[in-house]
Amino acid sequence: MRVFKKKKLKIGLALGSGAARGLAHIGVVKALIEEGIPIDYISGSSIGALVGAYFASKGEVATFEEMILGIEWKKLARLIDPNLVFMLKGLIHGQKIKELLQVIIGDIEFKDLKIPLAVVATDTNTGEEVIIKEGSVIEAVRASISMPAIFMPVKYGRRFLIDGGVVNPVPAGVVRNMGATFVIACNVIRKLKRNKSIQVRKKKTFGLISKSQVKKDVNSLNGRVNKIIQKMNFKDFWKVFVTLQAKVQKKVRRIDPNTPNIFEVLIQSVYLMEYEIAKLKAKEADIVITPDVGILKVLDFYHRKEAIVKGFEAAKRVLPNIRKLIKF
């Protein structure tokens, strides 16, 4: 077993893709912070890029967790930029998502981050992995979370970029190339399990900051979301929608209510392809944390607390191995 000397140790954290399952990254980071494990470098793909960017910017995730738990998701779902003009490019334009990212992370550049960060995206024309380490953090994260067919590709210089998880769902090698000598990776892409009803846990928290400390942040976030929504023009979209709804209402009743929606089918198809890639990429890490979130659907953002708790528990289980390896 290889033991890493503390003097030369540079710890890298690789946070992978996984949509709602990737909220487990918040619990993982929280556990590492609580145990005093220093993180020198971060890499992220898709949802991992979002969590990684927040951590790299703020140096903590407790406030981010409170935002995620306190946000009004029904209103947030309206930020999908429903514009029929862009439907052939992607179901979601993404401009409003960019505004939301600015609210959460702040309009910051890579050079201003507290922890060095690398964001992984995919060139939609060449299929090449694109590693972003300079410029606007918001633009990089927006590109990395742009799921194929759902979000429009993001123009980045001369390239058009989509979800980083397509080519590198667990970017362990990326953070090692940044200079990390010991890599901790979080992989939430698991084998599909049979559908079971989710048992959401009763109230249980791990070292959360008090609500009074972040109440203003959560209220501010929901307020900004409302302002963004108010600027949006749904007139043309809803006119078409109402017409279509009247035509298909009878047929919809014949469909099994458990039939996955188009978003779930598209995203699940991507993750079916990513599973084998994730296993291969995870081997480049020294420690792999695998939260038990396979039962969660990829769009199960309503079960965000469950995902965060699963991440925290998974990290806690491997912490003894981490300390043993790094002699910290």
mmCIF file of all heavy atoms in Angstrom, residues 300-323:
data_model
loop_
_atom_site.group_PDB
_atom_site.id
_atom_site.type_symbol
_atom_site.label_atom_id
_atom_site.label_comp_id
_atom_site.label_asym_id
_atom_site.label_seq_id
_atom_site.Cartn_x
_atom_site.Cartn_y
_atom_site.Cartn_z
ATOM 1 N N ASP A 300 -34.079 13.993 -9.801
ATOM 2 C CA ASP A 300 -34.705 13.997 -8.476
ATOM 3 C C ASP A 300 -34.165 15.114 -7.586
ATOM 4 O O ASP A 300 -33.701 14.869 -6.470
ATOM 5 C CB ASP A 300 -34.501 12.648 -7.779
ATOM 6 C CG ASP A 300 -35.747 11.791 -7.823
ATOM 7 O OD1 ASP A 300 -36.835 12.344 -8.045
ATOM 8 O OD2 ASP A 300 -35.635 10.575 -7.624
ATOM 9 N N PHE A 301 -34.244 16.349 -8.043
ATOM 10 C CA PHE A 301 -33.742 17.465 -7.253
ATOM 11 C C PHE A 301 -34.600 17.702 -6.013
ATOM 12 O O PHE A 301 -34.149 18.339 -5.056
ATOM 13 C CB PHE A 301 -33.676 18.732 -8.098
ATOM 14 C CG PHE A 301 -32.569 18.715 -9.113
ATOM 15 C CD1 PHE A 301 -32.821 18.386 -10.433
ATOM 16 C CD2 PHE A 301 -31.269 19.004 -8.735
ATOM 17 C CE1 PHE A 301 -31.796 18.361 -11.369
ATOM 18 C CE2 PHE A 301 -30.229 18.978 -9.668
ATOM 19 C CZ PHE A 301 -30.499 18.652 -10.979
ATOM 20 N N TYR A 302 -35.820 17.186 -6.016
ATOM 21 C CA TYR A 302 -36.673 17.338 -4.847
ATOM 22 C C TYR A 302 -36.124 16.532 -3.662
ATOM 23 O O TYR A 302 -36.425 16.824 -2.515
ATOM 24 C CB TYR A 302 -38.102 16.894 -5.164
ATOM 25 C CG TYR A 302 -38.844 17.872 -6.040
ATOM 26 C CD1 TYR A 302 -38.975 17.652 -7.405
ATOM 27 C CD2 TYR A 302 -39.387 19.031 -5.508
ATOM 28 C CE1 TYR A 302 -39.637 18.556 -8.222
ATOM 29 C CE2 TYR A 302 -40.053 19.949 -6.314
ATOM 30 C CZ TYR A 302 -40.174 19.704 -7.667
ATOM 31 O OH TYR A 302 -40.826 20.615 -8.463
ATOM 32 N N HIS A 303 -35.318 15.531 -3.947
ATOM 33 C CA HIS A 303 -34.711 14.723 -2.889
ATOM 34 C C HIS A 303 -33.269 15.158 -2.653
ATOM 35 O O HIS A 303 -32.388 14.351 -2.396
ATOM 36 C CB HIS A 303 -34.779 13.239 -3.258
ATOM 37 C CG HIS A 303 -36.182 12.711 -3.322
ATOM 38 N ND1 HIS A 303 -36.985 12.593 -2.206
ATOM 39 C CD2 HIS A 303 -36.935 12.298 -4.369
ATOM 40 C CE1 HIS A 303 -38.163 12.117 -2.562
ATOM 41 N NE2 HIS A 303 -38.163 11.931 -3.872
ATOM 42 N N ARG A 304 -33.059 16.453 -2.732
ATOM 43 C CA ARG A 304 -31.707 17.003 -2.592
ATOM 44 C C ARG A 304 -31.093 16.717 -1.230
ATOM 45 O O ARG A 304 -29.891 16.464 -1.127
ATOM 46 C CB ARG A 304 -31.747 18.513 -2.854
ATOM 47 C CG ARG A 304 -32.792 19.265 -2.029
ATOM 48 C CD ARG A 304 -33.094 20.624 -2.663
ATOM 49 N NE ARG A 304 -34.080 21.392 -1.910
ATOM 50 C CZ ARG A 304 -35.383 21.280 -2.085
ATOM 51 N NH1 ARG A 304 -35.862 20.408 -2.947
ATOM 52 N NH2 ARG A 304 -36.227 22.035 -1.397
ATOM 53 N N LYS A 305 -31.911 16.750 -0.180
ATOM 54 C CA LYS A 305 -31.381 16.490 1.160
ATOM 55 C C LYS A 305 -30.877 15.059 1.262
ATOM 56 O O LYS A 305 -29.829 14.797 1.857
ATOM 57 C CB LYS A 305 -32.454 16.752 2.219
ATOM 58 C CG LYS A 305 -31.930 16.605 3.644
ATOM 59 C CD LYS A 305 -32.982 17.002 4.652
ATOM 60 C CE LYS A 305 -32.433 16.901 6.060
ATOM 61 N NZ LYS A 305 -33.446 17.295 7.072
ATOM 62 N N GLU A 306 -31.626 14.130 0.686
ATOM 63 C CA GLU A 306 -31.235 12.723 0.700
ATOM 64 C C GLU A 306 -29.886 12.549 0.004
ATOM 65 O O GLU A 306 -29.009 11.829 0.495
ATOM 66 C CB GLU A 306 -32.304 11.886 -0.012
ATOM 67 C CG GLU A 306 -32.027 10.386 -0.058
ATOM 68 C CD GLU A 306 -32.335 9.705 1.268
ATOM 69 O OE1 GLU A 306 -32.650 10.418 2.244
ATOM 70 O OE2 GLU A 306 -32.258 8.472 1.321
ATOM 71 N N ALA A 307 -29.704 13.199 -1.132
ATOM 72 C CA ALA A 307 -28.453 13.088 -1.871
ATOM 73 C C ALA A 307 -27.281 13.638 -1.065
ATOM 74 O O ALA A 307 -26.199 13.032 -1.007
ATOM 75 C CB ALA A 307 -28.558 13.827 -3.202
ATOM 76 N N ILE A 308 -27.480 14.801 -0.428
ATOM 77 C CA ILE A 308 -26.412 15.411 0.365
ATOM 78 C C ILE A 308 -26.014 14.512 1.532
ATOM 79 O O ILE A 308 -24.825 14.316 1.818
ATOM 80 C CB ILE A 308 -26.847 16.801 0.876
ATOM 81 C CG1 ILE A 308 -27.021 17.755 -0.311
ATOM 82 C CG2 ILE A 308 -25.829 17.356 1.866
ATOM 83 C CD1 ILE A 308 -27.656 19.097 0.053
ATOM 84 N N VAL A 309 -26.999 13.950 2.209
ATOM 85 C CA VAL A 309 -26.730 13.058 3.341
ATOM 86 C C VAL A 309 -25.970 11.818 2.882
ATOM 87 O O VAL A 309 -25.020 11.372 3.539
ATOM 88 C CB VAL A 309 -28.042 12.649 4.049
ATOM 89 C CG1 VAL A 309 -27.786 11.535 5.074
ATOM 90 C CG2 VAL A 309 -28.657 13.851 4.751
ATOM 91 N N LYS A 310 -26.360 11.273 1.735
ATOM 92 C CA LYS A 310 -25.666 10.093 1.198
ATOM 93 C C LYS A 310 -24.205 10.406 0.912
ATOM 94 O O LYS A 310 -23.315 9.578 1.149
ATOM 95 C CB LYS A 310 -26.361 9.611 -0.078
ATOM 96 C CG LYS A 310 -27.743 9.000 0.119
ATOM 97 C CD LYS A 310 -27.667 7.665 0.810
ATOM 98 C CE LYS A 310 -29.028 6.990 0.845
ATOM 99 N NZ LYS A 310 -28.989 5.687 1.555
ATOM 100 N N GLY A 311 -23.948 11.592 0.406
ATOM 101 C CA GLY A 311 -22.574 11.992 0.129
ATOM 102 C C GLY A 311 -21.767 12.127 1.406
ATOM 103 O O GLY A 311 -20.603 11.683 1.475
ATOM 104 N N PHE A 312 -22.371 12.733 2.419
ATOM 105 C CA PHE A 312 -21.698 12.912 3.706
ATOM 106 C C PHE A 312 -21.354 11.550 4.326
ATOM 107 O O PHE A 312 -20.233 11.325 4.786
ATOM 108 C CB PHE A 312 -22.598 13.708 4.646
ATOM 109 C CG PHE A 312 -21.958 14.059 5.961
ATOM 110 C CD1 PHE A 312 -21.265 15.248 6.113
ATOM 111 C CD2 PHE A 312 -22.042 13.202 7.048
ATOM 112 C CE1 PHE A 312 -20.667 15.579 7.322
ATOM 113 C CE2 PHE A 312 -21.452 13.517 8.253
ATOM 114 C CZ PHE A 312 -20.761 14.707 8.392
ATOM 115 N N GLU A 313 -22.310 10.648 4.314
ATOM 116 C CA GLU A 313 -22.095 9.319 4.907
ATOM 117 C C GLU A 313 -21.010 8.541 4.164
ATOM 118 O O GLU A 313 -20.167 7.875 4.792
ATOM 119 C CB GLU A 313 -23.412 8.536 4.898
ATOM 120 C CG GLU A 313 -24.467 9.096 5.825
ATOM 121 C CD GLU A 313 -25.803 8.389 5.709
ATOM 122 O OE1 GLU A 313 -26.034 7.707 4.684
ATOM 123 O OE2 GLU A 313 -26.625 8.522 6.628
ATOM 124 N N ALA A 314 -21.037 8.624 2.835
ATOM 125 C CA ALA A 314 -20.040 7.899 2.038
ATOM 126 C C ALA A 314 -18.633 8.415 2.312
ATOM 127 O O ALA A 314 -17.679 7.637 2.425
ATOM 128 C CB ALA A 314 -20.366 8.025 0.550
ATOM 129 N N ALA A 315 -18.493 9.735 2.438
ATOM 130 C CA ALA A 315 -17.183 10.325 2.727
ATOM 131 C C ALA A 315 -16.698 9.921 4.116
ATOM 132 O O ALA A 315 -15.518 9.603 4.311
ATOM 133 C CB ALA A 315 -17.255 11.847 2.600
ATOM 134 N N LYS A 316 -17.602 9.922 5.072
ATOM 135 C CA LYS A 316 -17.242 9.540 6.438
ATOM 136 C C LYS A 316 -16.724 8.104 6.496
ATOM 137 O O LYS A 316 -15.810 7.786 7.264
ATOM 138 C CB LYS A 316 -18.456 9.691 7.356
ATOM 139 C CG LYS A 316 -18.755 11.118 7.771
ATOM 140 C CD LYS A 316 -17.697 11.650 8.729
ATOM 141 C CE LYS A 316 -18.081 13.002 9.304
ATOM 142 N NZ LYS A 316 -17.051 13.531 10.235
ATOM 143 N N ARG A 317 -17.302 7.236 5.669
ATOM 144 C CA ARG A 317 -16.890 5.822 5.684
ATOM 145 C C ARG A 317 -15.450 5.640 5.195
ATOM 146 O O ARG A 317 -14.754 4.721 5.661
ATOM 147 C CB ARG A 317 -17.844 4.990 4.805
ATOM 148 C CG ARG A 317 -19.184 4.703 5.453
ATOM 149 C CD ARG A 317 -19.922 3.594 4.716
ATOM 150 N NE ARG A 317 -20.269 3.979 3.354
ATOM 151 C CZ ARG A 317 -21.404 4.573 3.012
ATOM 152 N NH1 ARG A 317 -22.291 4.870 3.942
ATOM 153 N NH2 ARG A 317 -21.653 4.876 1.751
ATOM 154 N N VAL A 318 -15.013 6.474 4.267
ATOM 155 C CA VAL A 318 -13.671 6.281 3.712
ATOM 156 C C VAL A 318 -12.618 7.171 4.373
ATOM 157 O O VAL A 318 -11.429 7.037 4.074
ATOM 158 C CB VAL A 318 -13.650 6.517 2.185
ATOM 159 C CG1 VAL A 318 -14.627 5.605 1.480
ATOM 160 C CG2 VAL A 318 -13.941 7.973 1.850
ATOM 161 N N LEU A 319 -13.028 8.072 5.236
ATOM 162 C CA LEU A 319 -12.071 8.972 5.878
ATOM 163 C C LEU A 319 -10.953 8.249 6.629
ATOM 164 O O LEU A 319 -9.785 8.674 6.567
ATOM 165 C CB LEU A 319 -12.795 9.949 6.805
ATOM 166 C CG LEU A 319 -13.356 11.180 6.100
ATOM 167 C CD1 LEU A 319 -14.293 11.961 7.011
ATOM 168 C CD2 LEU A 319 -12.227 12.088 5.615
ATOM 169 N N PRO A 320 -11.248 7.135 7.333
ATOM 170 C CA PRO A 320 -10.150 6.409 7.978
ATOM 171 C C PRO A 320 -9.096 5.936 6.973
ATOM 172 O O PRO A 320 -7.895 5.979 7.258
ATOM 173 C CB PRO A 320 -10.874 5.218 8.646
ATOM 174 C CG PRO A 320 -12.240 5.725 8.907
ATOM 175 C CD PRO A 320 -12.564 6.582 7.718
ATOM 176 N N ASN A 321 -9.533 5.494 5.804
ATOM 177 C CA ASN A 321 -8.584 5.054 4.760
ATOM 178 C C ASN A 321 -7.771 6.246 4.236
ATOM 179 O O ASN A 321 -6.577 6.101 3.969
ATOM 180 C CB ASN A 321 -9.343 4.405 3.605
ATOM 181 C CG ASN A 321 -9.945 3.074 3.975
ATOM 182 O OD1 ASN A 321 -9.477 2.435 4.927
ATOM 183 N ND2 ASN A 321 -10.965 2.653 3.270
ATOM 184 N N ILE A 322 -8.430 7.392 4.096
ATOM 185 C CA ILE A 322 -7.715 8.574 3.617
ATOM 186 C C ILE A 322 -6.617 8.970 4.609
ATOM 187 O O ILE A 322 -5.468 9.205 4.225
ATOM 188 C CB ILE A 322 -8.698 9.748 3.408
ATOM 189 C CG1 ILE A 322 -9.663 9.448 2.265
ATOM 190 C CG2 ILE A 322 -7.930 11.044 3.118
ATOM 191 C CD1 ILE A 322 -10.735 10.500 2.057
ATOM 192 N N ARG A 323 -6.983 9.031 5.886
ATOM 193 C CA ARG A 323 -6.000 9.406 6.907
ATOM 194 C C ARG A 323 -4.862 8.399 6.985
ATOM 195 O O ARG A 323 -3.696 8.757 7.199
ATOM 196 C CB ARG A 323 -6.689 9.530 8.261
ATOM 197 C CG ARG A 323 -7.610 10.745 8.345
ATOM 198 C CD ARG A 323 -8.027 11.019 9.778
ATOM 199 N NE ARG A 323 -8.788 12.250 9.876
ATOM 200 C CZ ARG A 323 -8.261 13.464 9.908
ATOM 201 N NH1 ARG A 323 -6.939 13.594 9.821
ATOM 202 N NH2 ARG A 323 -9.010 14.527 10.007
#
